[in-house]
Amino acid sequence: MFNYENSVTEKTTVNKIWDLYSDVSKWKLWDRGIKSVELFGSFAVSANGVMNMADGSALPFCITECTPQKSFTTQSKLGNITVTFGHKIEENGDAVTVTHTVAIEGGNEIQMEGMGKSIVANIPECMQRLMTI
């Protein structure tokens, strides 16, 4: 299994961050690896979608947890491998802390570690952009 977690705290609002999360057309604004995102249904548990990546690949996902203004989780199934992305928002006075997590399971350790390092390489930059756009 591969696990990753990164948190960023900035002066912003929960509403601003939730708007950037819950409107999937805005994901490309804070994640330059994404060309576009399609969501089939509302931003809620069980909704399915596809992230069209800048490299031309397409990554299907499903929202598996969603607590408005607080958190959401998506899962992508890639054969026997499951990639879970977590997104959490916490208000701290006049600042907001956002935490992103990635968990990968179902493959061999070398495969999951390699995939994980590739996936998380740009997360700190994406999170900084999320907090400041």
Side-chain angles (χ1 to χ4, degrees):
M1 184 169 205
F2 175 88
N3 287 298
Y4 173 86
E5 181 175 302
N6 190 59
S7 296
V8 175
T9 301
E10 293 284 342
K11 280 191 165 191
T12 188
T13 67
V14 169
N15 287 340
K16 177 186 166 204
I17 300 301
W18 188 255
D19 178 60
L20 290 166
Y21 279 159
S22 62
D23 182 348
V24 299
S25 70
K26 295 180 180 177
W27 288 8
K28 66 184 178 185
L29 299 176
W30 53 271
D31 186 338
R32 290 190 177 146
I34 294 175
K35 181 177 177 184
S36 65
V37 180
E38 297 175 78
L39 186 65
F40 310 110
S42 61
F43 193 83
V45 172
S46 298
N48 292 298
V50 176
M51 283 187 282
N52 299 298
M53 309 308 287
D55 68 5
S57 63
L59 182 64
F61 68 93
C62 179
I63 298 175
T64 58
E65 180 274 328
C66 184
T67 304
Q69 308 292 318
K70 296 203 179 289
S71 64
F72 78 98
T73 303
T74 65
Q75 277 193 342
S76 295
K77 303 259 185 199
L78 308 168
N80 63 327
I81 294 176
T82 300
V83 182
T84 304
F85 294 90
H87 310 78
K88 183 177 172 185
I89 307 169
E90 295 176 290
E91 195 166 20
N92 303 312
D94 64 346
V96 172
T97 299
V98 171
T99 301
H100 286 189
T101 59
V102 177
I104 302 173
E105 57 189 339
N108 69 54
E109 290 299 320
I110 294 171
Q111 182 183 29
M112 290 185 296
E113 184 74 18
M115 180 182 281
K117 285 182 178 180
S118 175
I119 289 171
V120 305
N122 71 340
I123 286 180
E125 177 186 338
C126 293
M127 292 178 71
Q128 198 60 49
R129 196 175 301 103
L130 172 72
M131 300 297 274
T132 58
I133 60 171

